[in-house]
Amino acid sequence: MKNSVWEQFKESLFRGKAERKTLHNVVEYAPNAIVLIDQDGLIQMVNAQTELGFGYSRQELLGQPVEILVPHRFRSAHPGQRSSFFAHPVRRAMGSGRDLFGMRKDGTELPIEIGLTPIHSGSKTLALASIVDITERKRAEERFRQVVESAPNAIVVVNKHGEVTLVNAQMEKIFGYSRNEVVGKPVEILIPDRFRSHHASFINSFFAYPSTRSMGAGRELYGRKRDGSEFPVDIGLNPMASEEGPMVLATIFDISERKLADDKANRLRKDLHEVISVLSTANEEIMCSVNQAVTSSQDTATAISEIAATVEQVKQTALIAGSKAKTVVESVEQTRKVAKEGHAAVNDALQGMQQIRMQMESIGESITQLCDQTQTIGDVVAAVNDLAEQSNLLGVNASIEAVKAGEVGRGFSVVAQEVKSLAEQSKVATKQVRAILSDIQKAMNKTVLVAEQGHKAVEIGSQRAQFSGEAIKALMDNATTSSQMAIQIAATSQQQISGMDQVAQAIESIREASQGNVSGIRQVEETVRNLHQLGARLKELAAHFKP
């Protein structure tokens, strides 16, 4: 601060000591680094912020070329630039359009902005450099750039003339342009032809009343890609200040997928309404079905109870049938035994009938022989009767002859009389024999008739005995079959009893399951009722989301 040039400058500018002190404090405690150099580029004055920002003490800087604060890569060109300023000393920003850097004592660089102000002190012209450390701003800009660059949406920064000043990678991806093809061009390059004529007025309107808002509220917006195709977009507008003047940051959202999703959602909402209607109808039908199922389950439970009672009755009937089947088996066995004995008796009767028939045949033969003999006896009796007739005739003739002979023939007359008497007796005896033969003949005829009737009776008896034998045999066979069937019936009855026990157990299980089914259906009924209420609630909610 003891630099003569600087002191001279203060004294020339401010006559009073207090004023100079004020100037000193303003410079010393300014928030920016301030460096005063002469035309030779030597540092004449620095303030505290210069020491702090560059790491030098002011003793190390005063009288040194200003290039000590310039990075090595820029030092060779700096004297010429300095000479150019002093040749045309006007207040301006140094290095307009270029990035400027300073170099600290430790060799590190820092981004800076420099404002140059010429100061005339007597015949000398000095340059007052106000140096702003823009490290934080650069960092913020870099963060901003990274945020913009990595943003998932297209970002386009437009100035008040409608020219694009900044885009990000997502813009390149969505629109198909490289940033070199867009930056500096009218933003209408990204707008479909049919909307371009009115867009300039929208830009003017926004800059007239800048505010953060959505663009084209209530309207459908479209972007235009490099290939000329269009796609739906949403655009958010944010006003922002910059060194170049007011800007608008447009955040562009490609809503193609959202549009598809909205269309799909609208279809789904429509389908949802239809499904809810179907669900409501189905719920009502299910409620009716469940009520019917409850009634049916109760009826089924009642029917199962009745079936269980019937099964028990069938079981008892099967027990009785089994018992009676055993009795039938015993009775059939007794019948079979009696039938067997009857069959043996019939066989014996048939054998007796056969013997009787043989004896009747023998009697018939005997009667035939007797008839023949009786006939012979009749013939003999007839001959004897003829002899008696002849003897009687002979006795009559002898008596006649004896009468004729008189006394001589008296003895002959006695003989004739005896002969006649014998002839009479023979006739009487013959008559009696004939009567006896007649009786014998009648008896024999009756005997033959009886024998024939007996033979017929034996034949009929034999046939009937044979038929009885066959019937008894059939009865015995039937009894055997009946016995076997009765045994089978008894066994079947026992199986039926076992089956009825199993059926009873199954029916009991069914009854328990039916009771569980009734309980389950009750729960289903409650669930369906809740579902019905839920469907009604869904219907109410869906009404709020009608497309």
Side-chain angles (χ1 to χ4, degrees), residues 23-34 47-50 130-131:
L23 175 61
H24 169 78
N25 290 338
V26 168
V27 173
E28 184 66 17
Y29 299 111
N32 303 321
I34 294 177
N47 67 348
Q49 191 63 31
T50 304
S130 177
I131 303 171

Side-chain angles (χ1 to χ4, degrees), residues 156-165 187-188 199-213 215 237-242 244-250:
V156 177
V157 178
V158 180
N159 62 24
K160 63 181 180 180
H161 303 296
E163 296 172 344
V164 177
T165 62
V187 72
E188 283 78 14
H199 194 260
S201 63
F202 294 147
I203 293 176
N204 294 333
S205 176
F206 178 82
F207 281 107
Y209 302 98
S211 64
T212 299
R213 65 177 186 264
M215 179 178 174
L237 300 177
N238 292 279
M240 56 181 290
S242 71
E244 290 80 14
M247 300 278 184
V248 57
L249 186 147

Side-chain angles (χ1 to χ4, degrees), residues 35 98 100 136 210 272 326 346 353 405 435 464-465 503 518 522:
V35 177
R98 293 183 292 114
L100 302 180
E136 291 301 323
L272 178 61
K326 290 180 181 178
V346 167
M353 289 291 183
R464 290 181 176 178
V503 170
V518 171
R522 290 294 186 190

Side-chain angles (χ1 to χ4, degrees), residues 211-515:
S211 64
T212 299
R213 65 177 186 264
S214 295
M215 179 178 174
R219 293 183 291 116
E220 291 187 348
L221 304 180
Y222 292 88
R224 182 181 181 276
K225 296 183 180 181
R226 191 174 188 275
D227 61 9
S229 62
E230 298 181 7
F231 61 101
V233 295
D234 274 347
I235 301 176
L237 300 177
N238 292 279
M240 56 181 290
S242 71
E243 295 178 352
E244 290 80 14
M247 300 278 184
V248 57
L249 186 147
T251 304
I252 303 172
F253 301 87
D254 181 356
I255 60 171
S256 299
E257 293 184 359
R258 194 179 78 189
K259 274 283 188 182
L260 293 175
D262 288 343
D263 293 341
K264 185 176 180 181
N266 289 334
R267 291 194 299 272
L268 288 176
R269 277 193 290 270
K270 183 179 179 181
D271 293 342
L272 178 61
H273 283 286
E274 294 177 356
V275 169
I276 289 173
S277 297
V278 173
L279 179 62
S280 298
T281 303
N283 264 334
E284 293 174 0
E285 293 177 355
I286 290 171
M287 284 290 291
C288 293
S289 299
V290 167
N291 290 333
Q292 292 175 358
V294 169
T295 303
S296 176
S297 295
Q298 291 174 343
D299 293 342
T300 301
T302 303
I304 288 172
S305 298
E306 293 176 355
I307 291 172
T310 303
V311 167
E312 185 61 27
Q313 292 177 357
V314 171
K315 180 181 176 181
Q316 295 300 323
T317 302
L319 288 171
I320 295 171
S323 177
K324 289 187 177 181
K326 290 180 181 178
T327 303
V328 168
V329 169
E330 294 174 357
S331 177
V332 168
E333 284 297 324
Q334 186 66 29
T335 302
R336 186 168 172 274
K337 182 178 179 181
V338 171
K340 186 176 181 179
E341 293 175 354
H343 187 266
V346 167
N347 287 334
D348 293 342
L350 285 173
Q351 291 178 359
M353 289 291 183
Q354 186 67 23
Q355 291 177 359
I356 290 172
R357 184 168 55 190
M358 292 173 61
Q359 289 176 0
M360 291 298 293
E361 289 176 355
S362 176
I363 289 171
E365 291 176 356
S366 297
I367 289 174
T368 300
Q369 292 177 359
L370 183 59
C371 286
D372 292 339
Q373 291 175 359
T374 301
Q375 185 65 36
T376 301
I377 291 171
D379 293 340
V380 171
V381 169
V384 171
N385 187 52
D386 290 340
L387 289 174
E389 289 290 337
Q390 291 176 6
S391 295
N392 187 37
L393 182 60
L394 182 58
V396 171
N397 291 328
S399 293
I400 293 170
E401 290 297 331
V403 171
K404 289 177 176 182
E407 192 64 33
V408 177
R410 188 183 292 275
F412 186 71
S413 176
V414 174
V415 173
Q417 191 61 35
E418 289 294 330
V419 170
K420 185 179 178 181
S421 177
L422 288 171
E424 286 295 332
Q425 290 178 0
S426 293
K427 287 177 67 176
V428 172
T430 301
K431 189 177 180 179
Q432 291 177 347
V433 168
R434 282 183 175 175
I436 291 169
L437 288 176
S438 178
D439 292 336
I440 290 172
Q441 188 67 40
K442 291 177 180 178
M444 288 180 62
N445 289 335
K446 288 180 180 181
T447 301
V448 170
L449 181 61
V450 170
E452 289 178 352
Q453 291 176 350
H455 187 270
K456 289 180 180 180
V458 167
E459 286 294 332
I460 293 171
S462 295
Q463 292 176 357
R464 290 181 176 178
Q466 187 174 0
F467 180 76
S468 297
E470 292 175 354
I472 290 172
K473 186 176 182 303
L475 177 62
M476 185 171 63
D477 293 339
N478 288 335
T480 301
T481 303
S482 297
S483 176
Q484 293 174 351
M485 292 178 67
I487 292 171
Q488 292 177 355
I489 290 171
T492 303
S493 297
Q494 189 61 39
Q495 293 176 352
Q496 188 177 11
I497 290 169
S498 300
M500 286 301 104
D501 288 336
Q502 295 176 355
V503 170
Q505 293 175 358
I507 288 176
E508 180 62 23
S509 299
I510 293 172
R511 187 180 65 80
E512 293 175 356
S514 179
Q515 291 176 347

